[in-house]
Amino acid sequence: MIGIIRNLRLWFAPQHLGEEGDTPDYRFSLANERTFLAWLRTALALVGGGFAVDQFLPGLRWGWRVGLACALLAVGAVCALRAVDRWVRCERAMRRGEDLPPTRFPALLGLVVALVALVMVVVVVLGPAG
């Protein structure tokens, strides 16, 4: 529990990362930041997709439209939060000279996006009134 609170504190006060180990080569920190930004772009795309489903598919049954939109919005929110957590954990590991922390999140995100895409295929095949 203390580790979770410390990680959350670092989300909003990253200057405290300087208290952890040694400063890594700036190229690694910048690569970590680029990865963070890539995750944020993915999150924004998912959020945009959620709004698009809700706004541009008015002929779709309400339950399908809202369900798919909420699924995309929720996955986008989780992706954004996970991006921050991953950035902090990797930066911390680099400062401590540790291996980067393993994660299953990319596989999970891929499966969820594939599931939503398959549901969308069914919706498209059945038509808007599905």
Side-chain angles (χ1 to χ4, degrees):
M1 184 66 161
I2 292 172
I4 292 171
I5 292 170
R6 180 154 172 73
N7 276 348
L8 284 175
R9 184 182 76 130
L10 290 173
W11 285 21
F12 301 103
Q15 69 272 15
H16 291 293
L17 278 168
E19 300 166 7
E20 303 269 340
D22 300 322
T23 303
D25 185 329
Y26 71 92
R27 293 172 293 180
F28 298 126
S29 289
L30 292 174
N32 190 30
E33 189 173 317
R34 285 190 301 274
T35 302
F36 166 74
L37 293 172
W39 282 107
L40 283 186
R41 284 191 300 273
T42 301
L44 285 170
L46 289 164
V47 168
F51 280 118
V53 166
D54 184 53
Q55 294 298 307
F56 299 119
L57 297 176
L60 194 61
R61 282 188 178 167
W62 182 85
W64 279 105
R65 191 179 80 235
V66 170
L68 288 170
C70 286
L72 288 167
L73 290 167
V75 172
V78 168
C79 188
L81 292 172
R82 184 68 179 113
V84 178
D85 184 58
R86 178 78 179 159
W87 174 79
V88 167
R89 292 175 60 215
C90 286
E91 192 68 27
R92 215 167 178 201
M94 287 188 299
R95 289 181 163 278
R96 292 176 172 177
E98 300 171 352
D99 290 340
L100 295 180
T103 180
R104 291 186 187 107
F105 187 74
L108 179 64
L109 178 64
L111 289 172
V112 169
V113 170
L115 179 65
V116 170
L118 289 173
V119 170
M120 287 299 296
V121 166
V122 170
V123 168
V124 168
V125 169
L126 292 179

